[in-house]
């Protein structure tokens, strides 16, 4: 995500170009959830978050920045990870350069690519 809410904020973007969740066939939904699960595993290894926000904003009224292309957000969270900058300055402070985030997460993603749900290589 070029405009992350927190360090490690990932977006899963299906190839199908639609803004309606109901337009996705089951195989696409299955892949979306599998990639979301993999993203959670990678982010746990990389950042050790205390929780996650995972969700889809469908439609402009719901906050979708690109209303005609659905995507899922996976945001690692920690207790106390918000600060006054968001409310006072309408700015998020992210203490890691986005290029470094990409490099680290890609490395872990690639390392885990052949692992099954139980952590064993397949």
């Amino acid at each position: 995500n070029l405009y992350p809410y927190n360090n490690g904020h990932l977006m899963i973007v299906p190839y199908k170009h639609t803004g309606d969740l109901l337009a996705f066939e089951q195989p696409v939904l299955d892949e979306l959830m599998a990639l979301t699960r993999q993203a959670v595993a990678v982010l746990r290894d990389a950042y050790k978050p205390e929780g996650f926000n995972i969700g889809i904003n469908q439609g402009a009224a719901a906050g979708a920045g690109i209303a005609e292309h659905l995507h899922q957000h996976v945001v690692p969270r920690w207790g106390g990870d918000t600060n006054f900058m968001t409310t006072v300055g309408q700015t998020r402070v992210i203490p890691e350069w986005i290029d470094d985030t990409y490099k680290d997460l890609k490395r872990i993603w690639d390392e885990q690519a052949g692992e099954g749900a139980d952590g064993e290589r397949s």
Side-chain angles (χ1 to χ4, degrees):
N1 188 349
L2 290 177
Y3 305 100
Y5 186 81
N6 267 346
N7 288 338
H9 181 169
L10 297 179
M11 289 188 345
I12 298 160
V13 184
Y15 290 113
K16 182 172 182 165
H17 191 77
T18 182
D20 184 1
L21 186 63
L22 299 177
F24 288 130
E25 308 243 344
Q26 193 60 48
V28 175
L29 296 171
D30 293 345
E31 184 177 26
L32 182 67
M33 188 51 64
L35 288 169
T36 299
R37 186 171 186 234
Q38 187 174 359
V40 167
V42 167
L43 290 168
R44 275 194 181 147
D45 281 356
Y47 293 102
K48 313 293 188 267
E50 297 169 3
F52 291 91
N53 287 124
I54 299 171
I56 295 170
N57 300 334
Q58 182 172 306
I66 305 172
E68 62 279 352
H69 199 135
L70 211 66
H71 53 273
Q72 175 129 295
H73 294 267
V74 181
V75 183
R77 299 300 306 266
W78 299 264
D81 65 5
T82 59
N83 59 52
F84 71 92
M85 288 296 290
T86 303
T87 29
V88 175
Q90 297 179 332
T91 302
R92 296 285 305 167
V93 177
I94 307 294
E96 180 176 59
W97 184 248
I98 196 164
D99 292 345
D100 293 337
T101 300
Y102 173 81
K103 180 180 65 179
D104 292 341
L105 293 180
K106 173 133 180 35
R107 178 184 52 78
I108 295 169
W109 192 282
D110 291 345
E111 288 172 0
Q112 291 185 4
E115 292 182 6
D118 59 1
E120 295 295 319
R121 291 235 172 241
S122 49

